[in-house]
Coordinates of all heavy atoms in Angstrom, one line a residue:
M1 N 123.1 10.3 -78.2 CA 123.2 11.7 -78.3 C 122.7 12.4 -77.1 O 123.3 13.4 -76.6 CB 122.4 12.2 -79.6 CG 122.6 13.6 -79.9 SD 124.2 14.0 -80.4 CE 124.2 15.7 -80.5
L2 N 121.6 11.9 -76.5 CA 121.0 12.5 -75.3 C 122.0 12.3 -74.1 O 122.2 13.2 -73.3 CB 119.7 11.9 -75.0 CG 119.0 12.4 -73.8 CD1 118.6 13.9 -74.0 CD2 117.7 11.6 -73.5
I3 N 122.6 11.1 -74.1 CA 123.5 10.8 -73.0 C 124.7 11.7 -73.0 O 125.2 12.3 -72.0 CB 123.8 9.3 -72.9 CG1 122.6 8.5 -72.6 CG2 124.9 9.0 -71.9 CD1 122.8 7.0 -72.7
A4 N 125.2 11.9 -74.3 CA 126.4 12.7 -74.4 C 126.2 14.1 -74.1 O 127.0 14.8 -73.4 CB 126.9 12.6 -75.9
S5 N 125.0 14.7 -74.5 CA 124.8 16.1 -74.2 C 124.5 16.3 -72.7 O 124.9 17.3 -72.1 CB 123.6 16.6 -75.1 OG 122.5 15.8 -74.9
T6 N 123.8 15.3 -72.1 CA 123.6 15.4 -70.7 C 124.9 15.3 -69.9 O 125.1 16.1 -68.9 CB 122.6 14.2 -70.2 OG1 121.5 14.3 -71.0 CG2 122.3 14.3 -68.8
A7 N 125.8 14.4 -70.3 CA 127.1 14.4 -69.7 C 127.9 15.6 -69.8 O 128.5 16.1 -68.9 CB 127.9 13.2 -70.3
L8 N 127.8 16.3 -71.0 CA 128.5 17.5 -71.2 C 127.9 18.6 -70.3 O 128.6 19.4 -69.7 CB 128.3 17.9 -72.7 CG 129.2 19.1 -73.1 CD1 130.7 18.7 -73.1 CD2 128.9 19.5 -74.5
L9 N 126.6 18.7 -70.2 CA 125.9 19.7 -69.3 C 126.3 19.4 -67.9 O 126.6 20.4 -67.1 CB 124.4 19.6 -69.5 CG 123.9 20.3 -70.7 CD1 122.4 20.1 -70.8 CD2 124.2 21.8 -70.6
L10 N 126.3 18.2 -67.4 CA 126.7 17.9 -66.1 C 128.2 18.3 -65.8 O 128.5 18.8 -64.7 CB 126.5 16.4 -65.8 CG 125.0 16.0 -65.5 CD1 124.9 14.5 -65.4 CD2 124.4 16.7 -64.4
Y11 N 129.0 18.0 -66.8 CA 130.4 18.4 -66.6 C 130.6 19.9 -66.5 O 131.3 20.4 -65.6 CB 131.2 17.9 -67.8 CG 132.7 18.2 -67.7 CD1 133.5 17.6 -66.9 CD2 133.2 19.3 -68.5 CE1 134.9 17.9 -66.8 CE2 134.5 19.6 -68.5 CZ 135.4 18.9 -67.6 OH 136.7 19.3 -67.5
A12 N 129.8 20.6 -67.3 CA 129.9 22.1 -67.3 C 129.4 22.6 -66.0 O 129.9 23.6 -65.4 CB 129.1 22.7 -68.5
A13 N 128.3 22.0 -65.5 CA 127.7 22.5 -64.2 C 128.7 22.2 -63.1 O 128.8 23.0 -62.2 CB 126.4 21.8 -64.0
G14 N 129.3 21.0 -63.1 CA 130.2 20.7 -62.1 C 131.4 21.6 -62.1 O 131.9 22.0 -61.0
Y15 N 131.9 22.0 -63.3 CA 133.0 22.9 -63.4 C 132.7 24.3 -62.9 O 133.5 24.9 -62.2 CB 133.5 23.0 -64.8 CG 134.8 23.8 -65.0 CD1 136.0 23.3 -64.4 CD2 134.8 25.0 -65.6 CE1 137.1 24.1 -64.6 CE2 135.9 25.8 -65.8 CZ 137.1 25.3 -65.2 OH 138.2 26.1 -65.3
A16 N 131.4 24.7 -63.2 CA 131.0 26.0 -62.7 C 130.9 26.0 -61.2 O 131.3 27.0 -60.5 CB 129.6 26.3 -63.3
V17 N 130.4 24.9 -60.6 CA 130.4 24.8 -59.1 C 131.8 24.8 -58.5 O 132.1 25.5 -57.5 CB 129.6 23.6 -58.7 CG1 129.8 23.3 -57.2 CG2 128.1 23.7 -59.0
L18 N 132.7 24.1 -59.2 CA 134.1 24.1 -58.8 C 134.7 25.4 -58.8 O 135.4 25.8 -57.9 CB 134.9 23.1 -59.6 CG 136.4 22.9 -59.3 CD1 136.5 22.3 -57.9 CD2 137.1 22.1 -60.3
C19 N 134.5 26.2 -59.9 CA 135.0 27.5 -60.0 C 134.4 28.5 -58.9 O 135.1 29.4 -58.5 CB 134.8 28.1 -61.4 SG 135.8 27.4 -62.6
A20 N 133.2 28.3 -58.6 CA 132.5 29.1 -57.5 C 133.1 28.8 -56.2 O 133.3 29.7 -55.3 CB 131.0 28.9 -57.6
V21 N 133.3 27.5 -55.9 CA 133.7 27.1 -54.5 C 135.2 27.3 -54.4 O 135.6 27.8 -53.4 CB 133.3 25.6 -54.3 CG1 133.9 25.1 -53.0 CG2 131.8 25.4 -54.3
S22 N 136.0 26.9 -55.4 CA 137.4 27.0 -55.3 C 138.0 27.7 -56.5 O 138.3 27.0 -57.5 CB 138.0 25.5 -55.1 OG 139.4 25.6 -55.2
P23 N 138.1 29.0 -56.5 CA 138.5 29.7 -57.7 C 139.9 29.5 -58.1 O 140.3 29.7 -59.2 CB 138.2 31.2 -57.3 CG 138.2 31.2 -55.9 CD 137.8 29.9 -55.4
F24 N 140.8 29.0 -57.1 CA 142.2 28.8 -57.5 C 142.5 27.3 -57.6 O 142.0 26.5 -56.8 CB 143.1 29.4 -56.4 CG 143.1 30.9 -56.4 CD1 142.2 31.6 -55.6 CD2 143.9 31.6 -57.2 CE1 142.2 33.0 -55.6 CE2 143.9 33.0 -57.2 CZ 143.0 33.7 -56.4
G25 N 143.2 27.0 -58.6 CA 143.6 25.6 -58.8 C 145.1 25.5 -58.9 O 145.8 26.5 -58.9
P26 N 145.6 24.3 -58.8 CA 147.1 24.1 -58.8 C 147.6 24.6 -60.2 O 147.0 24.4 -61.2 CB 147.3 22.6 -58.6 CG 146.0 22.0 -59.0 CD 144.9 23.0 -58.7
C27 N 148.8 25.1 -60.1 CA 149.5 25.6 -61.3 C 149.8 24.3 -62.2 O 150.3 23.3 -61.7 CB 150.8 26.3 -61.0 SG 151.7 26.8 -62.4
R28 N 149.5 24.4 -63.5 CA 149.7 23.3 -64.4 C 151.1 23.2 -64.8 O 151.6 22.2 -65.2 CB 148.8 23.4 -65.6 CG 147.4 23.1 -65.3 CD 146.5 23.3 -66.5 NE 146.4 24.8 -66.7 CZ 145.9 25.3 -67.8 NH1 145.3 24.6 -68.7 NH2 145.8 26.6 -67.9
K29 N 151.8 24.4 -64.8 CA 153.2 24.4 -65.3 C 154.1 23.7 -64.4 O 155.0 22.9 -64.8 CB 153.6 25.8 -65.6 CG 154.8 25.9 -66.5 CD 154.3 25.6 -67.9 CE 155.5 25.9 -68.9 NZ 155.1 25.5 -70.3
C30 N 154.0 24.0 -63.1 CA 154.9 23.4 -62.1 C 154.2 22.3 -61.3 O 154.8 21.8 -60.3 CB 155.4 24.5 -61.1 SG 154.1 25.3 -60.2
A31 N 153.0 21.9 -61.6 CA 152.2 20.9 -61.0 C 152.0 21.2 -59.5 O 152.0 20.3 -58.6 CB 152.8 19.5 -61.2
G32 N 151.9 22.4 -59.1 CA 151.6 22.8 -57.8 C 152.8 22.9 -56.9 O 152.7 23.0 -55.6
T33 N 154.1 22.8 -57.4 CA 155.2 22.8 -56.5 C 155.8 24.2 -56.4 O 156.5 24.5 -55.4 CB 156.4 21.9 -57.1 OG1 156.7 22.4 -58.4 CG2 155.9 20.5 -57.2
G34 N 155.5 25.1 -57.3 CA 156.1 26.5 -57.2 C 157.5 26.6 -57.8 O 158.0 27.7 -57.8
L35 N 158.1 25.5 -58.1 CA 159.5 25.5 -58.6 C 159.5 24.8 -60.0 O 158.8 23.8 -60.3 CB 160.4 24.8 -57.7 CG 160.5 25.4 -56.3 CD1 161.3 24.4 -55.4 CD2 161.2 26.7 -56.4
R36 N 160.4 25.2 -60.8 CA 160.7 24.6 -62.1 C 162.1 24.2 -62.2 O 163.0 25.0 -61.8 CB 160.3 25.5 -63.3 CG 158.9 25.8 -63.4 CD 158.1 24.9 -64.2 NE 158.6 25.0 -65.6 CZ 158.4 24.0 -66.5 NH1 157.9 22.9 -66.1 NH2 158.9 24.2 -67.7
E37 N 162.4 23.1 -62.8 CA 163.8 22.7 -62.9 C 164.3 23.0 -64.3 O 163.7 22.4 -65.3 CB 163.9 21.2 -62.6 CG 165.4 20.7 -62.5 CD 165.5 19.3 -62.0 OE1 164.7 18.9 -61.2 OE2 166.4 18.6 -62.5
L38 N 165.2 23.9 -64.4 CA 165.8 24.2 -65.7 C 167.3 24.0 -65.6 O 168.0 24.6 -64.8 CB 165.5 25.7 -66.0 CG 164.0 26.1 -66.1 CD1 163.8 27.6 -66.2 CD2 163.4 25.4 -67.3
R39 N 167.8 23.1 -66.5 CA 169.2 22.8 -66.5 C 169.7 22.4 -65.2 O 170.7 23.0 -64.7 CB 170.0 24.0 -67.1 CG 169.6 24.2 -68.6 CD 170.4 25.3 -69.2 NE 169.8 25.7 -70.4 CZ 169.7 27.0 -70.8 NH1 170.1 28.0 -70.1 NH2 169.2 27.3 -72.0
K40 N 169.0 21.6 -64.5 CA 169.4 21.0 -63.2 C 169.5 22.1 -62.1 O 170.2 22.0 -61.1 CB 170.7 20.3 -63.2 CG 170.7 19.1 -64.2 CD 171.8 18.2 -64.0 CE 171.7 17.0 -65.0 NZ 172.7 16.0 -64.9
R41 N 168.8 23.2 -62.3 CA 168.7 24.3 -61.3 C 167.2 24.5 -61.0 O 166.4 24.6 -62.0 CB 169.3 25.6 -61.8 CG 170.8 25.5 -61.8 CD 171.4 26.8 -62.2 NE 170.9 27.9 -61.4 CZ 170.8 29.2 -61.8 NH1 171.2 29.5 -63.0 NH2 170.3 30.1 -61.1
A42 N 166.8 24.6 -59.8 CA 165.4 24.9 -59.4 C 165.2 26.4 -59.5 O 166.0 27.1 -58.8 CB 165.1 24.3 -58.1
K43 N 164.2 26.8 -60.2 CA 163.9 28.2 -60.3 C 162.4 28.4 -59.9 O 161.6 27.5 -60.0 CB 164.1 28.8 -61.7 CG 165.6 28.7 -62.1 CD 165.7 29.3 -63.5 CE 165.6 30.8 -63.4 NZ 165.9 31.4 -64.7
V44 N 162.1 29.6 -59.5 CA 160.7 29.9 -59.2 C 159.9 29.9 -60.4 O 160.3 30.4 -61.5 CB 160.6 31.3 -58.5 CG1 159.2 31.6 -58.2 CG2 161.4 31.2 -57.1
C45 N 158.7 29.2 -60.3 CA 157.9 29.1 -61.5 C 157.4 30.5 -62.0 O 157.0 31.3 -61.2 CB 156.6 28.3 -61.1 SG 155.4 28.1 -62.5
R46 N 157.6 30.7 -63.3 CA 157.2 32.0 -63.9 C 155.7 32.2 -64.0 O 155.2 33.4 -64.0 CB 157.9 32.2 -65.2 CG 159.4 32.3 -65.2 CD 159.9 32.7 -66.5 NE 159.7 31.6 -67.4 CZ 160.1 31.6 -68.7 NH1 160.8 32.7 -69.1 NH2 159.9 30.6 -69.5
R47 N 155.0 31.1 -64.1 CA 153.6 31.3 -64.3 C 152.9 31.7 -63.0 O 152.0 32.6 -63.0 CB 153.0 29.9 -64.8 CG 153.3 29.6 -66.2 CD 152.4 30.3 -67.1 NE 152.8 30.0 -68.5 CZ 152.2 29.1 -69.3 NH1 151.2 28.4 -68.8 NH2 152.6 28.9 -70.5
C48 N 153.2 31.0 -61.9 CA 152.5 31.3 -60.6 C 153.4 32.1 -59.7 O 152.9 32.4 -58.6 CB 152.1 30.0 -60.0 SG 153.5 28.9 -59.5
H49 N 154.6 32.5 -60.1 CA 155.5 33.2 -59.2 C 155.7 32.6 -57.9 O 155.9 33.2 -56.9 CB 155.0 34.7 -59.0 CG 154.7 35.4 -60.3 ND1 155.7 35.9 -61.1 CD2 153.6 35.7 -60.9 CE1 155.2 36.5 -62.2 NE2 153.9 36.4 -62.1
G50 N 155.8 31.3 -57.9 CA 156.1 30.5 -56.7 C 154.9 30.4 -55.7 O 155.0 29.8 -54.7
Q51 N 153.7 30.8 -56.1 CA 152.6 30.8 -55.3 C 151.8 29.4 -55.4 O 150.9 29.2 -54.6 CB 151.6 31.9 -55.6 CG 152.2 33.3 -55.2 CD 151.3 34.4 -55.5 OE1 150.3 34.2 -56.2 NE2 151.6 35.6 -55.0
R52 N 152.2 28.6 -56.3 CA 151.7 27.3 -56.5 C 150.2 27.2 -57.0 O 149.7 26.1 -57.3 CB 151.9 26.4 -55.3 CG 153.3 26.3 -54.9 CD 153.5 25.4 -53.8 NE 152.9 25.9 -52.6 CZ 153.0 25.3 -51.4 NH1 153.7 24.2 -51.3 NH2 152.4 25.8 -50.4
R53 N 149.5 28.3 -57.0 CA 148.1 28.2 -57.4 C 147.9 29.3 -58.4 O 148.5 30.4 -58.4 CB 147.2 28.4 -56.2 CG 147.4 27.3 -55.2 CD 146.2 27.3 -54.3 NE 146.1 26.0 -53.6 CZ 145.5 24.9 -54.1 NH1 144.7 25.1 -55.1 NH2 145.4 23.8 -53.4
R54 N 146.9 29.0 -59.3 CA 146.6 30.0 -60.3 C 145.0 30.1 -60.4 O 144.4 29.1 -60.0 CB 147.1 29.6 -61.7 CG 148.6 29.7 -61.8 CD 149.1 29.4 -63.1 NE 148.7 30.5 -64.0 CZ 148.6 30.4 -65.3 NH1 148.8 29.3 -65.9 NH2 148.2 31.5 -66.0
L55 N 144.5 31.2 -60.9 CA 143.1 31.3 -61.1 C 142.6 30.4 -62.2 O 143.2 30.3 -63.2 CB 142.8 32.8 -61.4 CG 141.4 33.3 -61.2 CD1 141.0 33.2 -59.7 CD2 141.3 34.8 -61.6
R56 N 141.5 29.7 -61.9 CA 141.0 28.8 -62.9 C 140.5 29.5 -64.1 O 140.1 30.7 -64.0 CB 139.8 28.0 -62.3 CG 140.3 27.0 -61.2 CD 139.1 26.1 -60.8 NE 139.4 25.5 -59.6 CZ 140.0 24.3 -59.5 NH1 140.4 23.7 -60.6 NH2 140.3 23.8 -58.3
L57 N 140.5 28.9 -65.2 CA 140.0 29.5 -66.5 C 138.6 29.9 -66.4 O 138.2 31.0 -66.8 CB 140.2 28.5 -67.6 CG 139.8 29.1 -69.0 CD1 140.7 30.2 -69.4 CD2 139.8 28.0 -70.0
G58 N 137.7 29.1 -65.8 CA 136.3 29.5 -65.7 C 136.1 30.7 -64.8 O 135.2 31.5 -65.1
R59 N 136.9 30.8 -63.7 CA 136.7 31.9 -62.9 C 137.3 33.2 -63.5 O 136.7 34.3 -63.3 CB 137.5 31.6 -61.6 CG 137.4 32.7 -60.5 CD 135.9 32.7 -60.0 NE 135.8 33.7 -59.0 CZ 135.0 33.6 -58.0 NH1 134.2 32.5 -57.8 NH2 134.9 34.5 -57.1
R60 N 138.3 33.0 -64.3 CA 138.8 34.2 -65.1 C 137.8 34.7 -66.0 O 137.6 35.9 -66.2 CB 140.1 33.8 -65.8 CG 141.0 34.9 -66.1 CD 142.3 34.4 -66.7 NE 143.0 33.4 -65.8 CZ 143.8 32.5 -66.3 NH1 144.1 32.4 -67.6 NH2 144.3 31.6 -65.5
V61 N 137.1 33.8 -66.7 CA 136.0 34.2 -67.6 C 134.9 34.9 -66.9 O 134.4 35.9 -67.3 CB 135.5 33.0 -68.4 CG1 134.3 33.3 -69.2 CG2 136.6 32.5 -69.4
L62 N 134.5 34.4 -65.7 CA 133.5 35.0 -64.9 C 133.9 36.4 -64.4 O 133.1 37.3 -64.5 CB 133.2 34.1 -63.7 CG 132.1 34.6 -62.8 CD1 130.7 34.5 -63.4 CD2 132.1 33.8 -61.5
N63 N 135.1 36.5 -64.0 CA 135.5 37.8 -63.5 C 135.6 38.8 -64.7 O 135.2 40.0 -64.5 CB 136.9 37.7 -62.9 CG 136.9 37.0 -61.6 OD1 135.8 36.8 -61.0 ND2 138.1 36.7 -61.1
S64 N 136.0 38.4 -65.9 CA 136.0 39.2 -67.0 C 134.6 39.7 -67.4 O 134.4 40.9 -67.7 CB 136.6 38.5 -68.2 OG 136.5 39.2 -69.4
G65 N 133.6 38.8 -67.3 CA 132.2 39.1 -67.6 C 131.7 40.1 -66.6 O 131.0 41.0 -66.9
R66 N 132.1 39.9 -65.3 CA 131.6 40.9 -64.3 C 132.2 42.2 -64.5 O 131.5 43.2 -64.3 CB 132.0 40.4 -62.9 CG 131.2 39.3 -62.4 CD 131.6 38.9 -61.0 NE 130.8 37.9 -60.4 CZ 131.0 37.2 -59.3 NH1 132.2 37.4 -58.7 NH2 130.2 36.4 -58.9
R67 N 133.5 42.3 -64.9 CA 134.1 43.6 -65.2 C 133.4 44.3 -66.3 O 133.2 45.5 -66.3 CB 135.6 43.4 -65.5 CG 136.5 43.6 -64.2 CD 137.9 43.8 -64.7 NE 138.4 42.7 -65.6 CZ 138.9 41.6 -65.1 NH1 139.1 41.4 -63.8 NH2 139.3 40.6 -66.0
T68 N 133.2 43.5 -67.4 CA 132.5 44.1 -68.6 C 131.1 44.6 -68.2 O 130.7 45.7 -68.6 CB 132.4 43.1 -69.7 OG1 133.7 42.6 -69.9 CG2 131.8 43.6 -70.9
H69 N 130.4 43.8 -67.4 CA 129.0 44.2 -67.0 C 129.1 45.5 -66.1 O 128.3 46.4 -66.3 CB 128.4 43.1 -66.2 CG 127.0 43.5 -65.8 ND1 125.9 43.6 -66.6 CD2 126.5 43.8 -64.5 CE1 124.8 43.9 -65.9 NE2 125.2 44.0 -64.6
A70 N 130.1 45.5 -65.2 CA 130.2 46.7 -64.3 C 130.6 47.9 -65.1 O 130.2 49.1 -64.8 CB 131.2 46.4 -63.2
A71 N 131.4 47.7 -66.2 CA 131.8 48.9 -67.0 C 130.7 49.4 -67.8 O 130.7 50.6 -68.2 CB 133.0 48.5 -67.8
G72 N 129.7 48.6 -68.2 CA 128.7 49.0 -69.1 C 127.4 49.4 -68.4 O 126.5 49.8 -69.0
T73 N 127.4 49.4 -67.0 CA 126.2 49.8 -66.3 C 126.5 51.1 -65.6 O 127.6 51.4 -65.3 CB 125.8 48.7 -65.3 OG1 126.9 48.4 -64.5 CG2 125.2 47.5 -66.0
R74 N 125.4 51.8 -65.2 CA 125.6 53.0 -64.5 C 126.1 52.7 -63.1 O 125.8 51.7 -62.5 CB 124.2 53.7 -64.3 CG 123.8 54.4 -65.7 CD 122.5 55.1 -65.5 NE 121.5 54.1 -65.6 CZ 120.2 54.3 -65.3 NH1 119.8 55.4 -64.9 NH2 119.3 53.3 -65.5
P75 N 127.0 53.6 -62.5 CA 127.6 53.3 -61.2 C 126.5 53.4 -60.1 O 126.6 52.6 -59.2 CB 128.6 54.5 -61.1 CG 128.3 55.5 -62.1 CD 127.5 54.8 -63.2
N76 N 125.6 54.3 -60.1 CA 124.6 54.4 -59.1 C 123.2 54.4 -59.8 O 122.7 55.5 -60.1 CB 124.8 55.7 -58.3 CG 126.0 55.6 -57.4 OD1 126.3 54.6 -56.9 ND2 126.7 56.7 -57.2
P77 N 122.6 53.3 -60.0 CA 121.3 53.3 -60.6 C 120.3 53.8 -59.7 O 120.3 53.6 -58.5 CB 121.1 51.8 -60.9 CG 122.0 51.1 -60.0 CD 123.1 51.9 -59.7
T78 N 119.5 54.7 -60.2 CA 118.4 55.3 -59.3 C 117.3 54.3 -59.1 O 116.8 53.7 -60.0 CB 117.9 56.5 -60.0 OG1 117.4 56.2 -61.3 CG2 118.9 57.6 -60.2
T79 N 116.9 54.1 -57.9 CA 115.9 53.2 -57.5 C 114.5 53.9 -57.5 O 113.5 53.3 -57.9 CB 116.1 52.6 -56.2 OG1 116.3 53.6 -55.2 CG2 117.4 51.7 -56.2
E80 N 114.5 55.1 -57.1 CA 113.2 55.8 -57.1 C 112.9 56.3 -58.5 O 113.7 56.9 -59.2 CB 113.2 57.0 -56.1 CG 114.2 58.1 -56.5 CD 114.2 59.2 -55.4 OE1 114.6 58.9 -54.3 OE2 113.8 60.3 -55.8
K81 N 111.7 56.2 -58.8 CA 111.2 56.7 -60.1 C 110.7 58.1 -60.0 O 109.7 58.3 -59.3 CB 110.1 55.7 -60.7 CG 110.6 54.3 -60.9 CD 110.6 54.0 -62.4 CE 111.1 52.6 -62.5 NZ 111.5 52.3 -63.9
K82 N 111.4 59.0 -60.6 CA 110.9 60.3 -60.6 C 109.8 60.5 -61.7 O 110.0 60.1 -62.8 CB 112.0 61.3 -60.9 CG 113.0 61.4 -59.7 CD 114.0 62.5 -60.0 CE 114.9 62.5 -58.8 NZ 116.0 63.5 -59.0
G83 N 108.7 61.0 -61.3 CA 107.7 61.2 -62.3 C 107.9 62.3 -63.2 O 109.0 62.9 -63.2
T84 N 106.9 62.6 -63.9 CA 107.0 63.8 -64.8 C 107.0 65.1 -63.9 O 106.5 65.0 -62.8 CB 105.9 63.8 -65.8 OG1 104.6 63.6 -65.1 CG2 106.0 62.6 -66.7
P85 N 107.5 66.2 -64.4 CA 107.5 67.4 -63.6 C 106.1 67.9 -63.2 O 106.0 68.5 -62.2 CB 108.1 68.4 -64.6 CG 108.8 67.6 -65.6 CD 108.1 66.3 -65.7
W86 N 105.1 67.6 -63.9 CA 103.7 68.1 -63.5 C 103.0 67.1 -62.6 O 101.9 67.3 -62.2 CB 102.9 68.3 -64.8 CG 102.7 67.1 -65.6 CD1 101.8 66.1 -65.5 CD2 103.5 66.7 -66.8 NE1 101.9 65.2 -66.4 CE2 103.0 65.5 -67.2 CE3 104.6 67.3 -67.4 CZ2 103.6 64.8 -68.3 CZ3 105.2 66.6 -68.5 CH2 104.6 65.4 -68.9
H87 N 103.7 66.0 -62.3 CA 103.1 65.0 -61.4 C 103.3 65.2 -60.0 O 104.4 65.6 -59.6 CB 103.6 63.6 -61.9 CG 102.7 62.5 -61.3 ND1 101.6 62.1 -61.9 CD2 102.9 61.7 -60.2 CE1 101.1 61.1 -61.2 NE2 101.8 60.9 -60.2
Ligands
ZN101 ZN1 153.7 27.3 -61.1

């Protein structure tokens, strides 16, 4: 049990590092070619629009969290603490 949970944590940490270092991964639908073969005709992949790379799932989750955090915080947090009016 300890080995399995350690392996899972190491895998998650490795995936987080991978998402931080390389946020884009090869498209899974076209296997990184940018083209799909449909009825013996090559068409541009609809998933990646021919760019051959897509944003990794972990990076997408991180970006979503950042957007949510930014939307929920004040745009210009005041750093100076204003005291009471009589101070
Ligand atoms: Zn693709």
Side-chain angles (χ1 to χ4, degrees):
M1 185 67 187
L2 181 66
I3 293 172
S5 56
T6 304
L8 190 67
L9 280 174
L10 284 176
Y11 179 77
Y15 185 68
V17 168
L18 180 68
C19 287
V21 172
S22 172
F24 290 94
C27 178
R28 285 176 291 174
K29 201 72 176 175
C30 63
T33 60
L35 297 173
R36 293 270 296 157
E37 189 172 325
L38 297 172
R39 296 182 191 138
K40 300 192 178 185
R41 286 182 52 204
K43 295 182 76 176
V44 174
C45 178
R46 289 188 295 181
R47 291 277 176 101
C48 64
H49 304 287
Q51 295 180 344
R52 301 184 295 184
R53 297 199 163 267
R54 296 186 66 205
L55 201 59
R56 292 187 195 274
L57 180 65
R59 186 64 180 216
R60 205 173 305 153
V61 168
L62 179 69
N63 288 349
S64 171
R66 281 182 176 171
R67 265 195 306 271
T68 303
H69 178 73
T73 53
R74 286 181 276 170
N76 289 324
T78 56
T79 54
E80 64 180 66
K81 298 245 180 198
K82 290 183 178 176
T84 53
W86 59 86
H87 195 82

